[in-house]
Amino acid sequence: MMISTRGRYALRVLVDLAEQGGQGYLPMKELAARQGISPKYLERILRLLVGAQLVAGVQGKGGGYRLTRAPEDYRVGEILRLTEGSLAPVACLAGGAPACDRAADCRTLPLWTGLEKTVNDYLDRFTLADLMKR
């Protein structure tokens, strides 16, 4: 499993928004510059985060983006599952995958199922508040 730039950038931007906390809405240009992300790519990431209601966005003068919850209420696993689509180590465990004909006799399925659980449990232990700590 490899986390894409979309997942890594989403985490960076959410930590940035968390650190700026009570300063209202932060302009996308400011976020992009601070994080070294192209505005066009950041716009796609923010659209995804707004759609999932992880951030709120306001357009126009004084607009920008802010978190919708407290930093301790955002799980890293939740964010990465949103941005990556799946953290499954094999295709047959990915959400919406067709049932595998070999599942009943698969000697490796318990291994992959355990790995997926371990990865998700590990990532769900961390919050944005944890990532804010140096």
Side-chain angles (χ1 to χ4, degrees):
M1 167 188 69
M2 185 176 294
I3 303 299
S4 70
T5 55
R6 181 173 46 188
R8 295 191 329 264
Y9 290 177
L11 282 174
R12 284 176 27 194
V13 166
L14 289 168
V15 170
D16 193 336
L17 289 171
E19 289 174 341
Q20 305 308 314
Q23 297 181 19
Y25 289 89
L26 297 172
M28 184 182 65
K29 266 187 178 176
E30 192 176 308
L31 286 168
R34 210 171 23 241
Q35 292 303 317
I37 303 171
S38 81
K40 191 171 187 169
Y41 192 40
L42 180 56
E43 184 177 8
R44 291 195 329 233
I45 293 169
L46 287 168
R47 194 175 314 125
L48 180 65
L49 297 174
V50 167
Q53 298 179 338
L54 296 182
V55 300
V58 173
Q59 296 200 352
K61 186 173 175 133
Y65 297 88
R66 67 169 176 77
L67 297 182
T68 58
R69 308 187 304 231
E72 56 273 6
D73 294 334
Y74 288 81
R75 298 269 163 212
V76 169
E78 166 193 23
I79 297 159
L80 291 178
R81 283 186 292 275
L82 171 68
T83 58
E84 300 303 311
S86 172
L87 298 176
V90 291
C92 64
L93 293 178
C100 178
D101 296 340
R102 300 178 50 92
D105 298 319
C106 183
R107 302 280 193 187
T108 61
L109 184 59
L111 172 79
W112 303 129
T113 303
L115 178 59
E116 179 182 35
K117 181 179 179 352
T118 299
V119 167
N120 280 292
D121 289 349
Y122 178 79
L123 293 172
D124 285 337
R125 285 195 330 227
F126 297 94
T127 67
L128 288 184
D130 295 323
L131 297 180
M132 291 168 64
K133 298 173 188 170
R134 295 203 183 258

